[in-house]
């Protein structure tokens, strides 16, 4: 279970999450910088995968397939945006 109000302290964007999707390997910084948070544009690089979850802000992205502690990834600057 994860916070659904994550916020990135690097780009000051809300972290979007998409259940049952992963990001295509061709995703890069400019793709997210130019297309967040417009779902219609993001779908171009989303791949359906049951049980996975795709996360993204404007500067970072992750595809998660199993229980993962995102706090261990030093390059992510995602924090709880408070409830």
């Amino acid at each position: 279970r994860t916070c659904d109000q994550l916020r990135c302290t690097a780009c000051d964007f809300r972290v979007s999450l998409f259940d049952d999707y992963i990001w295509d390997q061709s995703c890069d910084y400019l793709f997210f910088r130019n297309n967040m948070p417009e779902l219609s544009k993001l779908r171009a690089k989303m791949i359906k995968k049951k049980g996975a979850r795709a996360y993204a802000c404007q500067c970072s992205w992750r595809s998660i397939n199993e229980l993962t502690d995102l706090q261990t990834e030093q390059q992510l600057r995602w924090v709880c945006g408070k409830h």
Side-chain angles (χ1 to χ4, degrees), residues 68-74 76 78:
T68 304
D69 185 358
L70 293 176
Q71 293 178 341
T72 63
E73 296 198 32
Q74 298 294 326
L76 291 180
W78 296 346

Side-chain angles (χ1 to χ4, degrees), residues 13-30:
F13 246 69
R14 183 173 181 271
V15 177
S16 297
L17 55 98
F18 307 96
D19 287 326
D20 297 323
Y21 285 97
I22 59 172
W23 297 114
D24 186 84
Q25 289 184 349
S26 66
C27 288
D28 61 12
Y29 172 81
L30 286 177

Side-chain angles (χ1 to χ4, degrees), residues 13 18 22-47 54-63:
F13 246 69
F18 307 96
I22 59 172
W23 297 114
D24 186 84
Q25 289 184 349
S26 66
C27 288
D28 61 12
Y29 172 81
L30 286 177
F31 172 75
F32 291 102
R33 185 75 180 164
N34 292 328
N35 297 305
M36 279 302 285
E38 295 181 45
L39 180 58
S40 60
K41 293 181 178 181
L42 293 172
R43 285 188 194 264
K45 297 212 179 204
M46 294 172 79
I47 300 169
Y55 293 87
C57 60
Q58 213 177 27
C59 68
S60 300
W61 62 98
R62 288 293 176 279
S63 295

Side-chain angles (χ1 to χ4, degrees), residues 1-10 12-15 17 55 70-71 76-83:
R1 186 170 177 201
T2 186
C3 173
D4 62 356
Q5 299 295 318
L6 290 173
R7 186 151 201 91
C8 180
T9 60
D12 197 34
F13 246 69
R14 183 173 181 271
V15 177
L17 55 98
Y55 293 87
L70 293 176
Q71 293 178 341
L76 291 180
R77 295 201 180 157
W78 296 346
V79 297
C80 177
K82 307 294 182 218
H83 290 82

